[in-house]
Amino acid sequence: DVVSDKHTGLMWVKDPEGDLTSGGWPGVQTWSTGLSSCEGLSFAGFTDWRMPNLFELISLYDANKAATAIIDPFVGNALVTWTSTTRKASDTNAHGLFFTTRLSVSTFAKSGTAYVRPVRGGRLNA
């Protein structure tokens, strides 16, 4: 299944852990493996999937709700989800998000593992 956000023009894989498991989706991944997994993904008739940047992943969060805006519950609810955004101070780290009752942005070593949620469509920038 996919979820389209009419406000941002982005399309998301609704449940990578469930929807993509039969296709060999690796679950939690390192940052570089996540990039490759997204870029090589063929799903729901589309092949232009990618890892979301920081602003795209933040767009899923709605501060007026106790969870995320368009995807509820978010897979790995209290765990880190990767973004494609590398930390400016260190190219060995990337930004990741915790989706809980509040949004938490942090940086993590790219060699660590986290969830990945593929996206396609227009790109959000700040």
Side-chain angles (χ1 to χ4, degrees):
D1 291 346
V2 295
V3 176
S4 295
D5 184 338
K6 291 179 174 68
H7 177 71
T8 63
L10 298 171
M11 179 183 287
W12 300 87
V13 174
K14 184 175 183 179
D15 180 6
E17 300 307 302
D19 293 337
L20 302 176
T21 300
S22 63
W25 191 251
V28 293
Q29 305 173 53
T30 64
W31 185 82
S32 61
T33 302
L35 281 176
S36 297
S37 294
C38 290
E39 292 170 359
L41 181 62
S42 178
F43 182 72
F46 300 99
T47 58
D48 59 344
W49 297 98
R50 57 187 169 75
M51 186 186 292
N53 67 38
L54 178 63
F55 302 104
E56 291 168 333
L57 200 56
I58 287 173
S59 77
L60 293 177
Y61 185 76
D62 182 347
N64 296 315
K65 295 183 179 182
T68 58
I70 66 168
I71 299 174
D72 185 23
F74 203 86
V75 174
N77 195 18
L79 301 176
V80 177
T81 301
W82 283 122
T83 74
S84 62
T85 308
T86 295
R87 183 173 181 235
K88 289 182 182 178
S90 171
D91 65 1
T92 61
N93 294 317
H95 292 286
L97 302 182
F98 284 100
F99 283 90
T100 58
T101 55
R102 67 179 185 83
L103 182 66
S104 179
V105 178
S106 195
T107 57
F108 302 92
K110 291 179 179 179
S111 59
T113 58
Y115 285 95
V116 176
R117 182 172 298 276
V119 68
R120 62 176 300 276
R123 294 179 190 265
L124 296 183
N125 299 307

